[in-house]
Amino acid sequence: MKLDITTLDGAGAGSVDLDETIFGLEPRVDLLQRMVRWQLAKRQAGTHAVKNRSDVNRTRKKLYKQKGTGNARHGAASAPQFRGGGKAHGPVSRDHAIGLPKKVRALALRHALSTKARDGGLIIVDELAAKDGKTKVLAKQLADLGLSNALVIGGAELED
């Protein structure tokens, strides 16, 4: 697969041959869905929690004797039915992450790159360097290319 290389000014700077094993795959929606689900579950905080019966700072002493009062049998005041007692079956902090093998993650990335390349959403820029070293200049050049939201991957040397 051939893709055109552009400059930050929008002019053409040649073309590059992309590897078919990475950019030429038929997109698999199931892999992309699993990867997105893995990413969303991994970033879920899971910090919600309540104080359970054992976490409440109350006495563990029996409230009153077992027999002879005419009242119901009760143990500690930290039981959930009492005011100030612990919460029964409340949320606990936990990790929401699910497992996804590393090879499946890599395959999903290849399928995502293939889909982007097939749809024309992949732009290769020869050099990402602003002339003055100012962010404003670089942001204007990227906006002129039609990029308002982009993932920039650098470091790879391209050959014609």
Side-chain angles (χ1 to χ4, degrees):
M1 173 181 277
K2 270 188 150 350
L3 225 63
D4 293 331
I5 300 173
T6 61
T7 62
L8 278 177
D9 299 327
S15 64
V16 64
D17 282 319
L18 300 178
D19 190 5
E20 289 293 324
T21 59
I22 297 173
F23 295 96
L25 299 174
E26 212 40 58
R28 282 186 52 189
V29 179
D30 62 321
L31 281 177
L32 296 175
Q33 187 268 343
R34 284 178 67 188
M35 184 67 177
V36 168
R37 189 169 166 263
W38 175 79
Q39 287 174 337
L40 293 177
K42 193 171 187 309
R43 78 178 181 192
Q44 209 171 344
T47 54
H48 56 297
V50 294
K51 288 189 177 183
N52 296 320
R53 183 175 181 158
S54 61
D55 301 327
V56 174
N57 189 13
R58 301 221 38 195
T59 181
R60 303 290 187 261
K61 183 183 177 297
K62 190 167 175 65
L63 291 174
Y64 43 80
K65 63 183 186 171
Q66 179 87 352
K67 296 177 115 11
T69 62
N71 294 326
R73 300 172 296 188
H74 288 302
S78 59
Q81 69 263 29
F82 293 118
R83 183 175 179 275
K87 177 81 172 150
H89 311 297
V92 293
S93 51
R94 66 187 182 99
D95 185 15
H96 292 277
I98 55 175
L100 191 64
K102 199 181 286 187
K103 288 184 178 182
V104 175
R105 284 184 263 161
L107 185 60
L109 178 62
R110 289 197 296 270
H111 278 279
L113 288 173
S114 296
T115 305
K116 281 286 184 190
R118 186 182 307 266
D119 296 342
L122 199 62
I123 299 172
I124 299 178
V125 180
D126 64 345
E127 186 179 6
L128 278 175
K131 297 175 183 80
D132 303 333
K134 294 287 190 179
T135 307
K136 185 176 182 180
V137 175
L138 183 61
K140 184 180 181 326
Q141 288 175 328
L142 290 175
D144 290 342
L145 284 176
L147 302 175
S148 60
N149 185 5
L151 169 66
V152 178
I153 301 172
E157 293 297 323
L158 301 175
E159 297 178 12
D160 286 332

